[in-house]
Amino acid sequence: MSNYNDGNRYEDWGALYSEENDDRSVQNDSFREMETVMRQIKDKWDFMTNEDFNPVPLALELLDGSSLGKDYGAFKQMKSNLDKALQYIVDDYYQGFNSSIGTFGGVIHNIGDSQERVRDMKTQLKLCKESLMSKRSDLLQLWFRSQQYKEMIRILDQIEEFKETPEKLEVLLREKHFLTASNMLLDAIKTLGKKEMIGIGALSDLRRYLKAQQSSLHELLIEELHNHLYLKNSYCDSRWVKYTKDQKSLPSSLMEWHSGKETRKIDYTSSKNKKNLQVNTALATSTQLSPKSPKAFSTINIIDEDERITENIDINPETDSFYYMEILMESLAILGKLPQALETITQRIPIELYQLVDKTVVEVEERNSEVVSQKSRNNDIIDIFALDSPENDSQMEILRDLLWTIYSKLDAVLQGHRFILDIVERISKRPEHTKVTDESQKIKVYSFVEIWKPIQSEVRTLLRDYITEDERESISENNPEASIQDMIKDKRIRDSSKQLFRFGDSVSDKELDKQYEKDVSTVLKESLPEVFTKVPDERQLSVFVVDRFANTNMTAGHRLVVRPDAFNVSVLFKPTLAFLDKVKTIIPPSAHHSSADFTTFLDDFVFNVFLPQIGDKIFELFRQATTGSDAFQEDPNYKTYSTLPVVKSASSLMMIIESLCAMLHTMASHKEEYSKMIITLLTRYYVKCFEQYQAIVSKNKGDANVKDDANNQGISAIWVQQDQLSEVLGQYPYLAENSVRNRRKRKMFCDKETRIEMNFKKNREISIGQLITENKKLTALANLYHSLKWFVAKIWELRGRDSKPKPTSSKMDDGNLAKLNRRWSLYGDVNVSVHVNAKDNEKKKENGDDKESSLPLTGEMANRFDALLATFQQLAEQSLFTLRIELRCHTLHYIDKAMREGNYQLEYEAYEPDPFVLTLNTDVVKYDESIVSHLPTKEHKFVFEGLDTLMEHALVNNAIYTRNLNTNGVMKMTRNILALQQNLKNIVETPGEISLERARRYYEMFNMGPVNMLNQIREQGAIFSFEEYKTMLEIMYKIDPAEDQSAPITRHDSPSSNRRLYNENLLELNELMLDFL
C-alpha cells in the first residue's frame, strides 16, 4: 500500500512538473510571437516607430489602390498579428497586472496620508519655534543645574572607576601585562592630578597609593627586564642552548640585523592586529621553546618611529622574550622612567654578568658532578704530562661544556642588549621625546662598548683563570687555613695585582646564607617598603648590589671546574673565537668602532698574558722532563705508543709538542710564535741528548786504568767521530732488505770497516779503561738511539701531515741531508701512533680533526726545522754506531789479551778455551742482553753483523804475539776459535752465516810444518796474505821479528839452522806469492 501511495505521490509531482513546464513553454511562445511581430514591424514598418511619425500620409497611402500606395491587407494582417501577440502577453500576465493596479492604489493612498502628516508636523514645528523664542528665566536656572548634575555624575563615575583601578592594576601586574598597566596607571595619575580632582579629599589615599605603585612598577619593570636580558627566566631558555658533545659553533641567532633594523627569523601568521603577530619561533630555531610557552609572540620590524606596539592581554607575554622586553621598554617610556632605567641597566651590567657566569658554573658542575667529585679526590696525584689521559679528556669535556654554554648565554645577552638599543633608539626619535629640553629627562642611549667591556672582562677572566696559575692556585682546597698561614709566614712582598683568595673558592653554608639574606631583606623592607612591595623576593638584593666604582676591566674570578693549565688554550680558544665572530654580527652600525676593535683584547691577552705564561709553562715542563734523575730512564708506559722502550724525556717532550701543535691550530694567527717555541724546545732537547750521549761514552773517572788525558771519551766514541769510519758506517745499508746484492754490499763495507779499525788500533793494546764496561750504560745508549729514532719519526709524522719535508742546506749539504731523510724514511719498526688510544685516533679521523696535531711550517722556519731534525738523526746514528764500535773494541781487547798473555806452549792437552776468551764470550752475551730488548731487529743485527770477520782478522793478525806455540797450543787455539764461533751463533739471528773457519785453518797450518805449508800453497793456491804466511813461518821457526833484519838475506849467508831454513822458506814463499799476484 505504501508503495502505491508513493507511486501516486510521484505521479502527482510529475503532473505538477509537466504543468509548470507547459506554463513556461506558453510564456516562451508568447514572447517568441511578440519578437517575430516586432521584427516584421522593424523590417517593413520601422518608420512608424519614430517619435515624429505622421499617420496622415500613411492613411492616404493605404487608401491609394495604385502601385504607389501601401498594401492595406498587409497592414491589417500586421495589426492582427500585433493584437494577437499582445493578447497572448496579456493572457499570460493578467494576474500581475491586476495586483499591480491594487498596489498602485495603496501607494497613492499612503502618499496622501504622508502629505497630511507632514503638514501637521510643520504646523507643530512653527508652534515650537514660537515657544522657544519666548524668554523664560526659570528654564535657564534649570539648564545650569542640569549641567552641574551631569558633571557631578561624571566625577562620581570616574571615582567609581578609580575604586576599581587598584584591583585591575593588581590583575594586570600579576599577569605581567605591564604596557596596559602602565597606561592605566599613568592615565589614573594624570586624571587625579586635575584641578577638579585635587580638592576631593577622599582621593588623597588613592593618589598616594598610585604614586607608590608608579615607583614600585618602575623597579619591577627594571627587574623583569634584567630577568630576560640575563636569562634568569625559564622562558628565556629558547634563546640559548646547552653544550652538546663535539659542538663546533654557536647556535643561530633568533634575531638578525640588516641596516640597523632588527628582524626576527620567524614565520608570520595572519592576525587582525598588525603590530602584534603570532609567530612560530620553533620553525626558525634549532632549539624548542620552554614547555611553559604554548605560543610565541613577536613584533614586526617597525620602520615608522611613530608606530607603537600594542599589547594583547589574552596571551602570556613572556613566551616571546624579545616581545616581552619591547613591552617593558615601552612601559618604561610611558612612565617617563626610560633615562633612569638605561642608567640602571648600565650600572648593573658587571654584576649581572658575574652572576650569570657564576650560575652557569654551578649548572655545569651539577651536570658533571661525578667527574668533578672524582677530580677533587685525585687532585694530588695528577701527572703533569698526562695531557691526553682519559681523566684529562673528561676534564676538558667539562671545560668545553662551561665555555660553550657561557658563550651561548653571553651571545643571547648581547642580542638582548642590541635589541634594547634599537628599541630605545626608535623611541628616542618620537616627537614627544625629541622636544624634551630637560637634560635629566633626555633619553641617552648607552653605547654598545659599555656592554662589551664587562663581557670582555668576563671573557678575559675566564681565559686567565683557566690558563694562568698564580698564587691562589697554591692554596689548598682541603685546608685553606693552613695555606693562608703559610702565605702569612712568607715574608716576601706579595704582588697586589694578584688575588690572595676568592670567596668563590670558599665552602658555602646554605643555612648561613639564607639567614643572612633574610636579615638583610628585613632591614631593607623596613627602610624602603614602597620599593619592595612588588620586587620578587629572590631578586630584591640584586637591585642594590651595584658598585659604580668597581674596575670593570678586572673581574673577580669564579669557582674553577677544572685545574688551570696553559694547555687548556686548545679548548678555550675555539669557543672564544666562535663567540667573537658572533659578536661581529651583533655590533650595531651606530657603534663608532670597527668589529676588529671588539676583538683586539684577545690579541693583547695572547701576547701579554698567554704567550709568556705558556712559554714559562712549556719550559718548566721541559725542565722537569729533562733534568730529573729518571729523565733518560725508560718510560714505564712506553708500550702504549711504542714496541720498544722510550726514555721518559722523549715521550714527555713529544706530548708537549703535540699539545703545542694542537694549540697552534687553535690559534692559527700565532703560528710563528708556536713554531719558534717548538724549535727552541727541540734545540734544547738536542743539547740534553748530546750531553746524555757524552755522559754515557765518557770514561769512568774512578777506574785506575784510565789515563789522565785531555780526551775523556771512550775509544769507541773517538773512533766514531773519525771521518773515514763514519763515512763507511754512514753508507752501510743496515736497514735495507736482506737480498743477495745487499749482503754483498754489507760484506764489502764490513771488510772495509775492519781494515780501518785495525789501522786505528795498529799494534797498540786497547785498555779496559777505554771501554764501556757498565751494562746500564750500554742499555742507556740503546735507549737513547731508539728514543731519538722514535722521537724523530713522530716529528716527521707531524711535519708530514701538513706538508712534505724538504731537504735543506743549513749546516749539512743537500746530499747528506737527503740521504739521511731517505734512510730514516725506511724505519718500519717504530709505532708512530698518536699519544692517545686507538679509539680516539679513529674518532679524530672521522671528525676530520687529524690535522689538528700537524705542524705547518713554511719558508726559513721549515728549513731550520728540517736541519734540526737532521742533527737528531745524526746523533741517533752516532749512538748506534758507537754501540757497534764498542762491541768490536771489546772483542779486540779480549782477543789481544788472549793472544798476548795466553799460554800456548802446553805440555798437555787443554780442554778449556783461554780465560780471556771465556771472558769475551761472557761479555758479548751480557752486551747482547743489555741491548736486545732496546733495539729494533735490524739495528740489533747491525751491531753484531761482521763481528766474526773482525774476530778472524784479530786472531790471525795477533798471531805475531804467539811465539811459543806447540801442538797442544794449537788445540787450545782451536778451542778458542770454536768457543767464539759457537757463542756468536747463539746470539745472532742467522747462525749459518757465522764462521771462523779461516782462523782455524790458519793455526792448523802449524801442525803441517813449513814444507807442507809451502806445498799446499803451490798446489792449492794462497789462502792468506804474504804477511800472514810469513808470521806463521816465524812461529814455526820461533823467529823473533824484533831482531835486526836490516841486512839482506841471501843464500850465501850462514846463519843458524832455524834462521837459515826460515830465510830459505821465506824466499820460496815470496816466489810463490809473486806467482799468485
Side-chain angles (χ1 to χ4, degrees), residues 13 119 180 190 192 229 287 313 371 533 715 805 872 886 1057:
W13 286 356
R119 284 195 293 269
T180 306
K190 286 181 180 179
L192 290 175
L229 263 180
T287 58
I313 61 174
V371 180
T533 54
I715 190 170
F872 275 98
E886 182 65 28
S1057 59

Side-chain angles (χ1 to χ4, degrees), residues 854-866:
S854 63
L855 181 59
L857 295 172
T858 56
E860 183 62 27
M861 197 71 69
N863 295 336
R864 290 175 56 191
F865 185 84
D866 294 344

